[in-house]
Amino acid sequence: MSLRSGFKLGSWTVLPLESRLYRDDESNRVQPKSMDVLLCLAEAGGAVVERDDLLAQVWGDRVVNDEPLTRCIGELRRALGDSRSNPRYVKTIPKRGYQLVTPALPLEGEAQGEVPSRISRWFSQVSIVRKAAVGLGVILLAIAIEMGVERTLDGDIGDQGSSPETVLPDNIVKHSIVVLPFVDMSAEQDQAYMGDGVAEELLNLLARVRDLRVISRSSAFSLKGKPIDIREVAVQFDVAYVLEGSVRTSGDRIRITAQLVDGQTDTHIWSETYERGLDDVFAIQDEIAQAVVSKLRITLLGDAPRSRHTDPEAYALFLQGRSLHEQPGGGAMNRALDFYKAALDIDPAYVPAWVWLAAGYDDVINSIDLPRDEVVKLARQAIGNALAIDPHDPLALGMNALLIQAWDNDLQRAASEMQRALDLDPANPFLLRWSATILVALGRHDEAVRVTEYLFARDPIGNITRINLAETYMNAGRFDEAVHICEIEVALSSENSPCGARLIIANLYAGNPEVALELLQRVRPSRVYTRLAPMVLHGAGQSEAYEQAVGEILAAYAAGDTGLGYWIVNTFAFTGDEDLLYEWLERTALDGALNMAPGLSYFAAYENEPRFQRVMSDLGMAPADIDAIGFDLPSLSVTP
């Protein structure tokens, strides 16, 4: 029987096209893959479905091992309010597979049309690629396990006991934690940004503790609004502990409840409720962070981390800006800028608002309705104000380093600024991410990969970490690994993701030109097509189409799209047309449109040629110039 349009499962109504289950006033969403698993079980009519059959039906040849299936079953049980030990819906058949205990019944006649749905028609038209999106945190965790990222970075993690009564699995570091977004308990349910902000600040404070492994924001916050099973969360992120809580504001009062939970046993280690004035929120955050450090018996090597104080109203505006900053789309980012400015109107000395205002301008440079030079000027002014107030703020120094590297082409000064930032806050995930940019500019691609793998292990769900990891793999010539990561990112988001273009390039250089060509045709017409078509068409042996594509990219450059300069150079490096390669290397360098770095895999065949070395020298990237720039990464290991 076909149940894709909807079915009843006990008291639940299941809508596969929306990945949603509901009953009465309760509604739960699950990841698309989890819904596909449930649909397979439902269509089996109560029969046992073998694990291998489920893997084949839902993942095809994409699956790494059976870990994704286990994760999906866990998510379904949480959404259904089910349990493994006493199943009412999904039963595990040891060494075989799974079956539904409760039969699935199709929705009858017109009742299907009565199901509350505003988007089911849209879902029915989604492309095959989009519908096949992998559940967040499911396939990615399997990849992380397969890659052995955490084990490689952290080395021998020694004694696995988090306490005398708890024995941790081999993959879990003793001092490791995920901070979940704090639940909004305000009467109007309009203070979610405050709960997110408190959790993010706690996460940032704890990340400064050298011996504590902290899961990054984007992965931790992926669970926002979903049913939470502490043990499942701990397994998903390979952590020993979970910090959760709630926030309630009323007038000028705030009530914060926090609890630290053992992820292996789901038992509370510590909890506390703080009810104070809004201006005490920073002290509360500091106290929670210190309590966590104390309960985990971590020895601090320096002072305990502390929040930076500001006016409560300015802080609330800043948090709303940060919440918008993390959302995709230029509209949200532009609104974030307004909130940062509003916070600064109240407290012009609040450094974090200046830093993120600068970062916001840098992020919207191609989407805001202002000339690029004006946006760069605004970003520089913002970061200049931050450093004038506090010349030792790590994030301000790090953002300044990025702006110097991107817009001044002064790699020596950029590396020096980033070094100062890392010396002050060596575990900060933003600084480590930005440091990878400096490492690439220095041609230290293996180290850039190491940093991005380290961050990926702490942020397996965040799309930025996947995009950056794919890029560093490609720069280092590790194209098969880049294909692997890009396939996941495209499945989770769409072909319009930045990894969509990277997947085309990675397949081309990995020796899969026909795959690259097929992917390229899906993005036509677009700027991505314009910049990648010459290389891909040449690689696929379509000489006539290649000549036409080259004419189009050269015409676009002549019309003012100088950002295509690097791709023109890359095209002729790929095709081996050395005369055109050097002509365009020199031309784009003179135009200031050449964004190069030493040691890029795309130009490996030319690195020893005098003409290529001369261009790199003119750009300040001669080996002697690069070797003279000192830049040392902090240790990336975690001591349990």
Side-chain angles (χ1 to χ4, degrees), residues 413-459:
R413 192 157 66 95
S416 176
E417 285 286 275
M418 192 65 77
Q419 188 71 68
R420 290 176 60 201
L422 285 172
D423 289 345
L424 290 165
D425 195 358
N428 188 295
F430 290 111
L431 293 180
L432 290 172
R433 182 201 302 171
W434 299 343
S435 294
T437 301
I438 302 298
L439 288 168
V440 168
L442 291 169
R444 292 159 58 176
H445 301 290
D446 289 341
E447 291 175 80
V449 165
R450 176 172 167 77
V451 172
T452 48
E453 285 183 339
Y454 175 89
L455 293 171
F456 179 78
R458 284 149 181 77
D459 191 12

Side-chain angles (χ1 to χ4, degrees), residues 64 80 305 376 444 455 478:
V64 178
L80 291 163
V376 173
R444 292 159 58 176
L455 293 171
R478 295 165 60 170

Side-chain angles (χ1 to χ4, degrees), residues 16 18-21 28-38 71-72 75-76 78-79 131 133-138 222-223 226 236 461 492:
E18 297 182 24
S19 296
R20 183 161 67 92
L21 309 89
N28 295 326
R29 288 192 184 278
V30 296
Q31 301 299 330
K33 285 297 184 189
S34 297
M35 183 55 72
D36 289 344
V37 170
L38 182 58
R71 306 268 173 205
C72 286
E75 183 182 29
L76 290 172
R78 290 195 301 275
K131 271 170 58 179
V134 184
L136 288 175
V138 177
S222 69
L223 301 179
K226 297 180 181 178
Q236 180 172 351
I461 295 177
L492 286 170

Side-chain angles (χ1 to χ4, degrees), residues 475-497:
N475 290 336
R478 295 165 60 170
F479 294 106
D480 288 332
E481 291 163 281
V483 167
H484 194 46
I485 292 293
C486 287
E487 284 179 339
I488 300 305
E489 168 59 18
V490 168
L492 286 170
S493 50
S494 74
E495 290 170 342
N496 293 324
S497 159

